[in-house]
Amino acid sequence: MGGGQGFGYEGNPFEGISSMLANMACGLRVLGYDGDSVALPTLSLGAAGEGARYEYGKIWAELSEEFRLGERESSRLADKARQTGAGYADADAAGAAMSAKLRLVFEAVHHAAKTPPVREGEYFADDDDPYTFGGHRDRPTTWKAIGGEVLTGVGVLGWGKAGFAEDSLRRYEGEQRALFAADKARNMESGLGFANRVEQGQLSRLAKSTELTRLNIAATRAFSWSAIAGGLAWSLVVVPSDEDIDRAVTGWNSIADQCAMLFGYDTGPVREAIEAAWSGAAMEAADARMVEFVAAGVHLAERTRRLTQTLEQTVRDLDGIFLAALMFSGVSAAAIIRLGFAARLNPALRPYVEFLGSRLSTVAMLSANLVPVLAAAVIAWHRAADANRPTKIGDREVTGFRRS
């Protein structure tokens, strides 16, 4: 076999494979330095969320070791392939000597790595998106800009708080969606999957939801002693900023996409080529080791994809929980404030105010205690299960790159 190899290299096929392996080594080396892009600073999930943040930090420690091992192995294999290719007088002789199974494996990787899952037209937000810049709902007013916090303190108008807060959250989300869509249109080589998810409105709103809930509870303290305990408990849950969480989610999507660019977006054809290479007559040791490396790369690509999806789902679930808490606190705060004003004229209403305050406090304390624990448990479970979850190709199980 001469020039025009199926894996995109004109000339000696061993040199082509060496070039691919060297590129993989470089990519894995770069990924090993991406820890800052996915790290969450202390208290970034709130004081109560430190346990979840600690479990989350272990994920990077485990994956960074995989990147290091993969870089080492691919560098070694690249050198061996280059030395093998140098032993042949011309490309035809090298092509005739190369194992057909090995060639098919690297051809599958080459094609899978060059086939991203989305098209260019999917990067942009819809023109009629009501919550992006220029949309018909994007008309800043005082109540919309502040999310209705001021109205919470006004007893008569307090019932409108929940709806105004939700509109503020949606408007903020739309602005972020437009920014991400524009950014991904300029940088289409990474973060492809995340661009689409952002345009579907799946951004972290933890900071805004938890802070607005804190303001709701704080607004009731003048009317209900019971709500004070709930406010103190909820203050431990407040997330300082959504930026850290969005940055981490973006970082993991970028890592997953970079792994896909190295080992394939659609790993199905690569799996089939590997399974075919492992079936039938045994390969030479050097070829078998290269196929083993590619199989570990498939395992890594699929693992980072699963991890990204799990973390995104965890953020979305927490968003839903905290948004429900926001709505409940908004309605409760409005009722407490209205009854509180009325109780000053009619003391017989005072027990009802305390009952509502006690209910709000109970929900706040239960959420503050249970939600962070559940989040930490989910992350810890996924980390343990995913780290020990092998990739099954044919009758073999792949757990990672070679350790020695």
Side-chain angles (χ1 to χ4, degrees):
M1 181 176 179
Q5 304 303 322
F7 41 83
Y9 190 84
E10 296 290 338
N12 189 316
F14 287 102
E15 293 179 0
I17 287 181
S18 176
S19 178
M20 288 183 67
L21 289 167
N23 180 64
M24 292 173 179
C26 181
L28 292 168
R29 184 183 309 114
V30 171
L31 286 171
Y33 290 102
D34 274 356
D36 289 343
S37 69
V38 298
L40 289 177
T42 302
L43 300 179
S44 57
L45 297 180
E50 275 298 283
R53 191 188 69 85
Y54 175 75
E55 290 296 334
Y56 169 85
K58 294 179 180 178
I59 295 174
W60 173 254
E62 294 167 354
L63 274 177
S64 62
E65 177 65 9
E66 277 297 296
F67 295 144
R68 185 188 68 81
L69 293 171
E71 178 203 348
R72 184 184 65 183
E73 180 69 358
S74 54
S75 296
R76 290 174 177 174
L77 294 176
D79 290 339
K80 290 181 179 180
R82 184 172 58 255
Q83 293 169 7
T84 300
Y88 294 95
D90 53 45
D92 289 333
M98 174 172 283
S99 164
K101 292 180 177 180
L102 181 65
R103 185 180 66 250
L104 289 175
V105 167
F106 278 89
E107 284 179 358
V109 173
H110 172 74
H111 291 299
K114 298 299 182 184
T115 310
V118 295
R119 296 186 176 90
E120 180 177 345
E122 296 175 345
Y123 283 88
F124 301 95
D126 294 334
D127 293 335
D128 59 351
D129 187 338
Y131 287 102
T132 52
F133 296 126
H136 66 268
R137 296 296 295 275
D138 188 25
R139 302 289 184 269
T141 60
T142 301
W143 65 265
K144 188 181 286 186
I146 64 177
E149 289 91 338
V150 175
L151 295 183
T152 303
V154 181
V156 175
L157 300 178
W159 284 100
K161 164 64 181 167
F164 294 155
E166 169 66 2
D167 191 89
S168 177
L169 288 172
R170 289 184 179 276
R171 182 172 175 274
Y172 165 80
E173 176 186 325
E175 293 174 352
Q176 296 299 306
R177 186 158 58 241
L179 286 173
F180 273 102
D183 179 67
K184 295 307 175 185
R186 293 190 298 268
N187 302 279
M188 297 193 309
E189 70 277 5
S190 64
L192 307 183
F194 184 57
N196 288 335
R197 283 185 285 274
V198 166
E199 291 193 280
Q200 295 171 15
Q202 297 170 352
L203 285 171
S204 168
R205 302 182 295 182
L206 301 180
K208 204 166 187 68
S209 295
T210 54
E211 174 61 14
L212 289 175
T213 301
R214 186 191 67 80
L215 293 175
N216 283 341
I217 298 175
T220 67
R221 289 182 299 183
F223 303 95
S224 172
W225 289 99
S226 300
I228 295 177
L232 293 174
W234 190 263
S235 65
L236 300 176
V237 178
V238 175
V239 175
S241 172
D242 283 318
E243 292 180 4
D244 290 326
I245 298 172
D246 285 340
R247 174 183 50 75
V249 172
T250 305
W252 281 115
N253 273 277
S254 178
I255 288 173
D257 283 330
Q258 289 179 65
C259 288
M261 285 190 283
L262 295 177
F263 298 102
Y265 289 95
D266 180 6
T267 54
V270 183
R271 282 169 159 268
E272 292 175 2
I274 294 172
E275 184 176 359
W278 280 342
S279 63
M283 294 183 292
E284 294 184 5
D287 292 350
R289 186 161 180 173
M290 289 185 188
V291 174
E292 178 187 317
F293 167 78
V294 173
V298 168
H299 171 73
L300 178 65
E302 294 178 352
R303 179 180 177 183
T304 54
R305 187 187 309 150
R306 291 195 307 269
L307 171 63
T308 300
Q309 293 169 349
T310 299
L311 292 176
E312 287 179 351
Q313 186 60 51
T314 301
V315 171
R316 288 197 296 270
D317 291 343
L318 290 175
D319 275 341
I321 293 172
F322 285 138
L323 186 58
L326 169 60
M327 296 307 163
F328 177 80
S329 67
V331 172
S332 297
I336 291 171
I337 291 171
R338 294 175 68 182
L339 279 176
F341 278 122
R344 293 178 179 179
L345 300 176
N346 182 5
L349 295 175
R350 186 66 191 170
Y352 296 99
V353 177
E354 286 301 328
F355 169 75
L356 291 176
S358 175
R359 186 179 64 172
L360 175 60
S361 179
T362 299
V363 172
M365 287 190 289
L366 284 175
S367 299
N369 283 280
L370 292 179
V371 172
V373 172
L374 289 175
V378 168
I379 294 174
W381 175 85
H382 176 78
R383 183 182 62 80
D386 186 68
N388 297 312
R389 177 180 173 181
T391 295
K392 190 172 181 61
I393 301 178
D395 57 355
R396 302 193 190 187
E397 292 185 344
V398 182
T399 59
F401 293 108
R402 185 181 287 251
R403 259 55 183 169
S404 59

